[in-house]
Amino acid sequence: MRSPLAMFHDIRAAGIAFGLRPAGHEDAEFIVALRALSKRTRFIHRGATTVDAQRSWTDAYLARPGDYYFLVHRLADGGREGTLGIYDVDAAGGTAEWGRWVLAADSLAAIESVALMYRVAFDVLHLSSVYSRTLAGNESVVSFHDSCGIPREPTMRTLNVDGVACAAIEHRLARADWPDLAQRLEPMIRRIARRAGASP
Amino acid sequence: MSDAAERAVEVRRILALALRIPADKYRRLDRETVPEWDSLKHIEIVFALEDRFGVEFSDTEIPALVSDEAIVRALAARHVP
């Protein structure tokens, strides 16, 4: 069993059409371009805006415990689709936040990448719950979590985004609720995978 | 009502059902401006359209189905009656 506090950056997860692999220095150019093009990045920390800055961020990340940053990729050809992360792991509480979820505009990886993230959180890191904090203005991502049936925490959070205090909504999935969600997502994942070049 | 008009009405009905909104909540249904149109519902919409109209959209077509008008055009291009 892997300790959630361990600094392993070698976690991989393979789904049907898409997979998660550790993000590294070789992905810096892609990540900077992805964030620059995404319409959603106004709702997350500005992050590194140059390849060198992204590589420096990666250096710091690799030395940081409880932080797992993934590249979402196509299994068929390794093509990069986006990023997501599990971080701020609280080993004692068995919780972590997930986010840094940015996908290319034409990506079909949204549902499967999230399912893989939950699989890593619960089956590999053995967390008891995972939460996301989404700026209230990022309505379609708030709606995505709602559509998945992930419960909202009753109290609004305040996030500091590049020095600005912003209202945020927290959704939290408990390990016990993951099997039901996985079962609901699986038919969609399989049907999407056929279009994404996989053989489900 | 023409086939095209009927198809447009049916597309809006399917979208409203998938988005769980009243059919007349928005004058134009566009992913950019309808917050309920998230990534999960987008896929639900695509599959509902495929089941209703007997078509299958490709991986390059699916991301382009971003509004009621775009969907109606995509169906017309496939000669869906």
Side-chain angles (χ1 to χ4, degrees), chain A residues 6-197:
Chain A
M7 284 170 43
F8 292 108
H9 292 112
D10 60 353
I11 298 172
R12 292 172 179 269
I16 300 170
F18 302 101
L20 303 182
R21 65 162 176 79
H25 291 99
E26 69 279 13
D27 301 307
E29 198 167 336
F30 168 77
I31 292 169
V32 170
L34 177 75
R35 293 172 64 100
L37 287 173
S38 173
K39 293 173 183 169
R40 302 270 169 231
T41 45
R42 68 182 188 273
F43 297 117
I44 59 179
H45 295 279
R46 189 178 302 124
T49 55
T50 67
V51 173
D52 284 345
Q54 181 61 37
R55 289 197 178 115
S56 297
W57 184 92
T58 304
D59 285 336
Y61 149 72
L62 288 171
R64 196 161 52 232
D67 193 331
Y68 306 90
Y69 191 36
F70 296 101
L71 238 291
V72 181
H73 65 99
R74 291 189 298 274
L75 293 175
D77 60 7
R80 297 172 171 104
E81 295 278 323
T83 63
L84 62 78
I86 301 172
Y87 42 91
D88 291 345
V89 173
D90 173 358
T95 64
E97 180 169 358
W98 84 271
R100 300 177 192 150
W101 188 38
V102 184
L103 294 173
D106 59 352
S107 177
L108 298 180
I111 299 173
E112 188 162 23
S113 65
V114 170
L116 289 169
M117 181 282 299
Y118 282 124
R119 195 202 295 174
V120 169
F122 295 125
D123 297 347
V124 180
L125 299 176
H126 302 284
L127 298 171
S128 55
S129 72
V130 192
Y131 59 90
S132 60
R133 289 173 178 163
T134 311
L135 293 192
N138 195 355
E139 292 174 298
S140 69
V141 173
V142 171
S143 176
F144 176 86
H145 298 306
D146 290 338
S147 296
C148 287
I150 298 167
R152 288 188 188 200
E153 292 295 300
T155 311
M156 292 280 279
R157 302 282 174 169
T158 301
L159 290 187
N160 184 319
V161 180
D162 300 324
V164 180
C166 303
I169 294 163
E170 182 173 305
H171 291 81
R172 183 180 292 266
L173 185 70
R175 167 196 282 278
D177 295 327
W178 164 229
D180 283 348
L181 176 59
Q183 196 170 27
R184 202 156 65 81
L185 297 182
E186 190 183 343
M188 282 190 274
I189 290 169
R190 287 192 175 280
R191 198 162 161 179
I192 296 163
R194 285 211 314 267
R195 319 311 157 78

